[in-house]
Amino acid sequence: MSSTLMASCCFIISYKRPRPIIATFVPFLLLLFFFAVVVAASSSSNGTAAALHPGEELLRLERVRAQLARSPDGDVIDCVPSHLQPAFEHPRLRGQKPEEPPSARPTETTRRRRRRRRSHAHGGGGGEHREEEDDGEHGLRQAWWAAGEACPEGTIPVRRTTEADLLRASSAAAAGGRFGMKPRGVGVVGGAARRDSTSSGHEHAVGYMSGGQFYGAKASLNVWPAKVASPAEFSLSQIWLISGSFGNDLNTIEAGWQVSPQLYGDNNPRFFTYWTNDAYQETGCYNLHCSGFVQTNSRIAMGAAISPISSFAGRQFDITLLIWKDPKQGHWWLQLGSGALVGYWPSFLFSHLGARADMAQFGGEVVNTRPSGSHTPTQMGSGRFPGEGYGRAAYFRNVQVVDWDNNLIPAAALRLLADHPACYDIAGGQGAAWGRYFYYGGPGRNARCP
């Protein structure tokens, strides 16, 4: 970290639970610790992952331990000046500030909007009234909001890296893993980009569109407390935008919810983003773990727990995600709910995605480490098969893509695919209020999936 950067800010505002949120001045040493940890996963040149050094960071942590307070979910949220976030360590962004919001966002046709307003059924049959809740503009609530406050204007909320995070990073490195990054060899399902992703232990149940030109994707997906059997595994539900091939040049942009004990230290579903421009080899990361994604929202914390969440045969809570390429600046923007912008991936991060995506993909992914030689019992989605339907199975609804003219259009040509239907399956249809939709997921190990 340059001396200019360190000297440009002398404090961060710390939000903690369960006590009321209080703005506090934090010593310069804590600022140094925070940025050293957050940016440690990136190189100064291209956003590639670098090894964390838990020994050094733990020494720093010992000196500021008295400043730490844990919420029930373990999070401490720091308000960081937006121009000092990890993205601005990238050589192409140093000395800059976040871009202004795009002047135009993708729009639906008038006919499509009217049809959705007239109907209250989910569109899959039965004519029942469905109550999906998404918390208005932001489209989700996060556990750290309980005290009712947000970061001040000009700052962004950042989930603090803790001693436990550093210890898990050390364990991941010892096992050949990379903290804050997906494993090398991760597969993407569908179309020309497909290869045997299950050989790397990743299994999918997804809907995808390929063979066209895509400038964004949108969907609503409900959030579940998926059970993950091992710290080395995860379960996620997300949107992918993909371009390139599985040599070393696959580009992806990803966003959704994830349960990952290794990354976050618990089994809470958390909001996340991801990117890579070299097929998950050296570049890219989750959330703000490297120089890449530029956050502009002062309310949403990347990697923070989502609350409330869906319950079996109970209320359903979903989040609405929109990722699209701004026609003017060319950056890929992320929107939550009805209009809250989270931030953007600068176009220069990518080669193929610098122009457009060749594939849009939606659905679930799990890591199966085959503990004791059997399939993992890690759940995908709700842990129930699609046939159980609303209130029991996980879903994606109103699945759409963005065309060349910045229009949102239904994903009418969506194809459904499950790597191992006996473990995790997918089934969908077309309706009125729900448009193109599908249910997906499963329990993993069962009588048909030994």
Side-chain angles (χ1 to χ4, degrees):
M1 184 179 301
S2 69
S3 59
T4 301
L5 185 150
M6 288 191 294
S8 63
C9 178
C10 61
F11 69 93
I12 52 182
I13 300 170
S14 182
Y15 286 152
K16 309 172 183 179
R17 289 182 34 226
R19 295 196 297 263
I21 294 176
I22 300 174
T24 59
F25 287 90
V26 181
F28 176 83
L29 183 60
L30 180 56
L31 178 63
L32 176 64
F33 162 73
F34 171 75
F35 280 108
V37 175
V38 172
V39 184
S42 67
S43 72
S44 61
S45 58
N46 60 6
T48 59
L52 292 174
H53 300 286
E56 297 176 14
E57 303 308 333
L58 285 175
L59 287 176
R60 291 187 181 128
L61 185 60
E62 287 293 335
R63 299 172 187 171
V64 298
R65 185 184 299 274
Q67 301 291 333
L68 302 182
R70 290 187 179 276
S71 69
D73 63 9
D75 285 354
V76 175
I77 304 298
D78 293 314
C79 292
V80 177
S82 58
H83 66 286
L84 295 182
Q85 62 182 286
F88 292 100
E89 281 290 288
H90 195 288
R92 296 278 295 272
L93 293 176
R94 283 178 182 161
Q96 300 183 32
K97 295 182 179 181
E99 297 278 354
E100 292 296 320
S103 57
R105 305 190 191 188
T107 57
E108 295 183 82
T109 63
T110 302
R111 180 181 177 186
R112 172 70 178 158
R113 289 197 300 268
R114 286 175 178 171
R115 184 164 62 241
R116 289 178 64 183
R117 281 199 298 264
R118 284 198 302 266
S119 177
H120 295 283
H122 83 16
E128 300 176 61
H129 178 71
R130 308 296 188 182
E131 295 184 1
E132 296 82 37
E133 304 188 31
D134 69 358
D135 197 55
E137 181 187 8
H138 285 88
L140 59 72
R141 291 189 62 83
Q142 293 191 303
W144 71 278
W145 291 9
E149 299 191 34
C151 287
E153 185 177 353
T155 69
I156 63 167
V158 178
R159 180 177 177 270
R160 185 183 298 178
T161 301
T162 67
E163 177 181 2
D165 293 331
L166 295 168
L167 292 173
R168 291 195 308 280
S170 179
S171 296
R178 301 173 300 167
F179 191 75
M181 300 180 71
K182 286 188 175 183
R184 293 181 177 90
V186 172
V188 174
V189 179
R194 189 184 182 192
R195 68 175 180 179
D196 183 13
S197 60
T198 61
S199 64
S200 63
H202 290 249
E203 300 185 16
H204 305 80
V206 300
Y208 68 94
M209 290 181 64
S210 60
Q213 297 181 1
F214 306 101
Y215 296 84
K218 182 180 182 180
S220 298
L221 54 155
N222 57 347
V223 182
W224 291 89
K227 295 180 180 178
V228 175
S230 163
E233 299 179 342
F234 65 65
S235 178
L236 60 76
S237 298
Q238 69 174 42
I239 295 175
W240 292 258
L241 286 166
I242 304 163
S243 192
S245 61
F246 266 103
N248 293 312
D249 67 348
L250 188 78
N251 293 194
T252 75
I253 288 172
E254 310 170 28
W257 64 264
Q258 177 186 43
V259 178
S260 176
Q262 184 179 80
L263 186 59
Y264 305 110
D266 59 27
N267 287 286
N268 293 321
R270 295 172 175 271
F271 174 64
F272 82 96
T273 61
Y274 199 89
W275 68 276
T276 181
N277 66 19
D278 64 354
Y280 303 98
Q281 297 300 308
E282 301 297 335
T283 65
C285 62
Y286 284 109
N287 306 326
L288 303 180
H289 280 270
C290 66
S291 301
F293 185 81
V294 179
Q295 184 167 338
T296 60
N297 192 292
S298 63
R299 186 69 166 147
I300 300 296
M302 312 292 287
I306 301 171
S307 177
I309 55 179
S310 302
S311 59
F312 183 76
R315 296 170 68 185
Q316 302 299 294
F317 293 87
D318 61 23
I319 60 176
T320 299
L321 302 173
L322 167 62
I323 305 170
W324 87 100
K325 186 174 179 62
D326 176 25
K328 291 188 176 181
Q329 297 294 330
H331 305 315
W332 291 89
W333 282 82
L334 172 62
Q335 175 183 299
L336 273 174
S338 62
L341 293 176
V342 180
Y344 60 93
W345 293 267
S347 59
F348 66 74
L349 293 175
F350 306 102
S351 50
H352 300 288
L353 278 175
R356 62 182 177 273
D358 299 322
M359 181 187 302
Q361 185 167 286
F362 313 78
E365 176 185 357
V366 300
V367 172
N368 172 25
T369 60
R370 297 194 63 82
S372 303
S374 301
H375 193 284
T376 181
T378 286
Q379 299 175 339
M380 179 187 292
S382 68
R384 303 287 180 138
F385 284 114
E388 297 199 33
Y390 186 84
R392 293 169 171 78
Y395 63 74
F396 276 69
R397 62 179 177 89
N398 301 117
V399 179
Q400 300 170 283
V401 293
V402 180
D403 69 8
W404 65 273
D405 200 26
N406 213 31
N407 295 312
L408 277 165
I409 58 175
L414 193 73
R415 301 174 64 183
L416 306 181
L417 181 64
D419 290 332
H420 292 295
C423 308
Y424 313 107
D425 206 359
I426 186 169
Q430 177 73 35
W434 272 29
R436 193 70 168 95
Y437 72 91
F438 59 82
Y439 291 100
Y440 70 101
R445 184 165 62 213
N446 64 80
R448 298 186 301 117
C449 176

